[in-house]
Amino acid sequence: MRISLEAWMLAVAVLLSGCAPKLEEVNSQVPVVKDIHSYANPAEARVRHIELDLQVDFEKRTLAGTVVHLIEGKGKVIFDTKDLKIEKAEASKNGKEFQPTTFKLGAADKILGAPLEVVLPEGARYLRISYETSPTAYALQWLTPQQTAGKKAPYLYTQGEPINTRSWIPLQDSPGIRITYRARIRTQPNFFAVMSANNDQRTSAPTGDYLFDMAQPVPPYLLALAVGELQFRMIGARTGVYTEKVMLDAAAHEFSDLDSMVTAAEQLFGSYRWDRYDVLVLPPSFPIGGMENPRLTFATPTIIAGDKSLVSLISHELAHSWSGNLVTNATWSDFWLNEGFTVYVERRIQEVLYSKQRSEMEFAIEVAELKQEMATLPEKDQLLYVDLAGRDPEDGVTLVPYVKGALMLRAIEEEVGRERFDPFVRGYFDQFAFQSITTGMFEAYLKGKLPELKLDVKEWIYKPGLPKSCPVISSFLLANVDVEIAKWKKGQPIQTKDWVAQQWLHFLRGLPAELTADQMAKLDREFQFTKSKNSETLDAWLILAIRHKYAPAQVALEEFLSRVGRQKFIKPLYQEMAKTGEGKARAKALFAKNKANYHPIASSAIEALLAK
Ligand code: BES
Ligand code: ZN
């Protein structure tokens, strides 16, 4: 069944009169901060709401159709685009009758894409742009049926953060510009489409024609779409999981704590404001671990370990419902406001849901990873507030905003106590709800609410390295592992009963730099690492296998690299191979073979790494 135009118009009318916010009221007082990663001109003309109407073409690998922008302001509107084919631009006073208007697509910058200038005639409030995406659009991954779990239908999904949304929608692509949106997505019957919006059609038969509505203003990087042969399974009253049929049982089992997670987070930091919280488990080529698309977290299947050992990633993405999605970084230099707060909140959720010792263990692992990465970073990238002039915002995505950010918040917590800090954090989310803020605004708020604070916040934010005030995160579960490593080095038997994934990870990373072929073989015989079903453990083991030329793991390595596209795993593997001349040739050959299975984000990152 096709949804008629009338039904669509009716739905639109109902939405306009009903739950949609009054657009004029949405944080119109808050000025937009200058964003060096967007061509948009919000000070003159600013988009408040968009309506998408797109046809998904799996054969051509394109999205084609229109976007209507509701604009506040006058003169000309500048949009961001990347590799888009712009067919025409039209303007309207009432959103019904449109007249052609002039537009100009500027020269393309490698990082930012090209500005699209459209003239907004006197009195007009709406601009409609007809366009088509490129088959190699940066935000989109098109999978063939063979690349999916079910092998029968193709699959498409988007990844918008930080500045990729402009490669599938011409819009004002700055995190400081929040918009509400509605979308009509047309695809084939039996293909299920989901978005970072309401997904009310989840119970009805898939018609291939979908309407979506997101009535809460969100930054453009949170617009997300996935289309495939998806199924849905309810977990709790307001939570559930979408994935391909063959993954459904495992996913529902792994995420059975979803409802409790939402409740735990609410009790800590205030009500969940996004209605439902569902998780979409993507095919293994998904380039990142998770993406906090509102109402619908996108997640890698590599966290499905069978024992819930890697679900902190879901706590992390859920935490973004407060830090990031509710209170958003105004520019990519303020990224630590999104991620540092989120890692802090993630730790608190894990503590309530599982235990303090598990949360501290996970934190200790992250801190060790931060220290290791920090040692390789230039000083300018060790600050929480990063100067990204002339750079890709992806360059700022290191563990510094994540873990150093969380450590600073932990330092404040330790100084003032949770009785003071928890209400502070809750108040921060309330104060800046549905706004995009800068580091300076955070500093001013902190000073106002906790004036007695002795911690040198400026040092944390604007100086490299970790300050002396850095909290020590200790974990006796990891300390136990250290004891066993010491025994192992002396050739004594070790006690590994009941170890969890993080302990195995710590063990593998703590082994001596030099390992003989015999030692590798013995480790594998004893602990079956090559056969590990835990992606984190396997990844850490494969790094050792490459480093020590452990041949029996080669098949597993090749299988892993051909199936998994998660950059956190595959980048270090290619990098480790590329350390020797012979290894580099092999890395290049493997990459050439696997490239088609990776998302454009991942393949361009690995290409750059192997070109060095
Ligand atoms: N928002 C990020 C993902 C992201 C960051 C995408 C920057 C593009 C640019 C997400 O919340 C995230 O941090 N994911 C992590 C997992 C997390 C547990 C640290 C990831 O994907 O590894
Ligand atoms: Zn995050």
Side-chain angles (χ1 to χ4, degrees):
M1 193 197 77
R2 270 224 141 180
I3 292 166
S4 68
L5 187 64
E6 286 79 349
W8 169 240
M9 295 297 284
L10 184 69
V12 167
V14 167
L15 289 167
L16 271 176
S17 61
C19 51
K22 292 192 190 67
L23 297 168
E24 294 70 25
E25 284 176 6
V26 178
N27 64 323
S28 50
Q29 309 85 342
V30 185
V32 174
V33 180
K34 171 83 198 129
D35 175 6
I36 56 169
H37 295 108
S38 170
Y39 292 109
N41 59 336
E44 290 91 50
R46 169 172 181 181
V47 176
R48 288 289 176 192
H49 172 82
I50 70 171
E51 308 240 330
L52 286 167
D53 187 340
L54 294 174
Q55 176 79 46
V56 184
D57 190 330
F58 280 102
E59 244 138 65
K60 282 166 63 193
R61 300 196 156 188
T62 58
L63 297 173
T66 57
V67 55
V68 175
H69 291 270
L70 171 58
I71 289 146
E72 204 175 83
K74 53 178 191 285
K76 64 169 197 244
V77 190
I78 309 180
F79 300 101
D80 293 292
T81 73
K82 198 167 189 182
D83 297 331
L84 293 178
K85 205 195 289 167
I86 307 295
E87 270 141 30
K88 66 180 176 212
E90 298 156 299
S92 168
K93 289 186 176 146
N94 55 16
K96 293 191 187 94
E97 294 95 36
F98 283 85
Q99 302 293 327
T101 183
T102 28
F103 70 92
K104 193 175 87 200
L105 193 61
D109 174 84
K110 205 174 165 300
I111 298 167
L112 304 180
L116 172 67
E117 263 186 50
V118 185
V119 173
L120 187 66
E122 192 66 37
R125 287 189 72 200
Y126 298 86
L127 286 179
R128 180 163 70 193
I129 300 166
S130 304
Y131 72 98
E132 189 179 276
T133 61
S134 151
T136 56
Y138 216 58
L140 308 179
Q141 186 174 19
W142 300 87
L143 297 174
T144 61
Q146 289 69 40
Q147 291 168 315
T148 68
K151 312 276 178 217
K152 285 203 296 276
Y155 203 109
L156 161 73
Y157 65 89
T158 65
Q159 167 54 37
E161 193 179 17
I163 56 169
N164 305 330
T165 302
R166 63 189 69 177
S167 77
W168 70 283
I169 312 170
L171 46 47
Q172 293 190 320
D173 195 7
S174 168
I177 302 177
R178 308 181 80 95
I179 51 172
T180 52
Y181 77 89
R182 277 192 284 264
R184 178 178 191 171
I185 302 293
R186 306 161 199 241
T187 173
Q188 280 144 264
N190 295 320
F191 287 6
F192 218 109
V194 286
M195 289 192 83
S196 52
N198 77 323
N199 286 290
D200 286 347
Q201 300 157 77
R202 71 181 171 278
T203 46
S204 58
T207 58
D209 196 340
Y210 295 90
L211 297 179
F212 298 97
D213 172 40
M214 174 42 102
Q216 294 159 302
V218 293
Y221 73 83
L222 293 177
L223 267 67
L225 166 71
V227 182
E229 223 171 26
L230 302 175
Q231 295 201 356
F232 176 77
R233 171 90 49 92
M234 199 176 103
I235 288 178
R238 54 177 165 174
T239 57
V241 55
Y242 292 90
T243 192
E244 288 188 80
K245 191 175 173 198
V246 297
M247 296 284 296
L248 204 56
D249 285 335
H253 177 261
E254 202 79 13
F255 304 148
S256 62
D257 296 330
L258 221 51
D259 245 48
S260 326
M261 264 182 194
V262 180
T263 308
E266 283 188 310
Q267 278 166 2
L268 286 166
F269 300 120
S271 63
Y272 178 74
R273 308 195 203 197
W274 304 90
D275 186 24
R276 293 194 57 84
Y277 182 72
D278 296 314
V279 175
L280 169 68
V281 179
L282 287 135
S285 65
F286 189 53
I288 59 176
M291 180 63 212
E292 65 272 25
N293 298 316
R295 300 184 188 197
L296 184 64
T297 281
F298 282 23
T300 170
T302 60
I303 54 168
I304 298 179
D307 60 0
K308 301 186 185 178
S309 59
L310 307 178
V311 294
S312 64
L313 184 133
I314 301 295
S315 292
H316 178 97
E317 305 312 334
L318 170 66
H320 275 303
S321 307
W322 287 262
S323 43
N325 300 3
L326 202 56
V327 181
T328 308
N329 52 212
T331 77
W332 297 112
S333 289
D334 305 301
F335 184 57
W336 80 272
L337 287 176
N338 274 18
E339 299 299 343
F341 264 94
T342 295
V343 171
Y344 178 80
V345 173
E346 168 200 341
R347 298 274 55 85
R348 297 294 302 273
I349 297 172
Q350 287 293 103
E351 185 181 317
V352 175
L353 221 66
Y354 300 103
S355 64
K356 174 106 181 165
Q357 70 186 47
R358 168 151 170 196
S359 192
E360 293 293 280
M361 170 174 67
E362 290 169 343
F363 203 3
I365 296 251
E366 290 173 324
V367 172
E369 289 171 345
L370 168 71
K371 287 181 177 161
Q372 200 179 11
E373 185 180 17
M374 193 114 96
T376 70
L377 293 174
E379 285 204 339
K380 67 178 185 1
D381 290 340
Q382 298 177 16
L383 318 183
L384 288 180
Y385 183 86
V386 204
D387 181 4
L388 291 170
R391 305 171 74 191
D392 191 323
E394 293 267 3
D395 293 356
V397 184
T398 68
L399 288 174
V400 172
Y402 285 80
V403 186
K404 184 179 172 184
L407 282 167
M408 179 178 83
L409 297 173
R410 169 76 168 244
I412 302 174
E413 179 213 291
E414 287 184 1
E415 187 188 320
V416 302
R418 284 189 177 177
E419 330 69 77
R420 300 261 293 133
F421 192 62
D422 288 1
F424 166 80
V425 176
R426 186 189 272 251
Y428 165 81
F429 293 141
D430 285 339
Q431 172 77 28
F432 298 111
F434 296 105
Q435 292 179 34
S436 300
I437 72 163
T438 62
T439 301
M441 288 161 80
F442 161 79
E443 285 179 81
Y445 184 78
L446 179 68
K447 220 183 171 109
K449 295 291 172 184
L450 298 173
E452 77 278 24
L453 192 71
K454 291 197 191 64
L455 191 89
D456 189 346
V457 176
K458 291 244 183 271
E459 181 189 6
W460 275 90
I461 298 176
Y462 302 105
K463 297 264 166 68
L466 287 173
K468 285 208 181 63
S469 58
C470 187
V472 177
I473 309 299
S474 57
S475 160
F476 74 90
L477 291 172
L478 298 185
N480 284 348
V481 175
D482 291 330
V483 172
E484 300 305 313
I485 293 175
K487 285 199 226 156
W488 186 89
K489 285 180 183 165
K490 289 188 227 145
Q492 297 166 0
I494 63 169
Q495 183 56 259
T496 62
K497 198 171 163 290
D498 297 330
W499 274 13
V500 292
Q502 288 76 13
Q503 288 174 296
W504 284 113
L505 202 57
H506 189 69
F507 175 76
L508 289 169
R509 289 175 180 169
L511 289 172
E514 299 299 330
L515 291 171
T516 65
D518 274 359
Q519 283 174 315
M520 286 294 289
K522 190 157 172 279
L523 282 167
D524 206 9
R525 243 190 345 265
E526 228 177 311
F527 305 116
Q528 303 288 313
F529 290 123
T530 304
K531 292 196 188 119
S532 177
K533 292 275 171 281
N534 188 290
S535 59
E536 293 278 354
T537 310
L538 181 61
D539 179 63
W541 173 249
L542 292 176
I543 292 276
L544 294 182
I546 298 167
R547 194 172 294 159
H548 304 297
K549 301 198 166 56
Y550 179 63
Q554 297 312 316
V555 176
L557 172 66
E558 290 187 17
E559 191 280 328
F560 192 75
L561 287 174
S562 70
R563 184 172 50 88
V564 175
R566 184 178 176 189
Q567 297 178 86
K568 176 188 167 187
F569 292 147
I570 64 174
K571 267 161 78 175
L573 291 172
Y574 281 109
Q575 207 147 25
E576 191 63 42
M577 276 191 264
K579 282 182 181 165
T580 65
E582 180 198 341
K584 191 159 186 171
R586 192 161 156 251
K588 283 187 171 164
L590 281 174
F591 175 63
K593 206 171 102 210
N594 297 328
K595 198 178 155 170
N597 291 343
Y598 300 149
H599 189 286
I601 298 171
S603 58
S604 69
I606 291 161
E607 202 149 76
L609 178 159
L610 294 177
K612 271 185 204 151

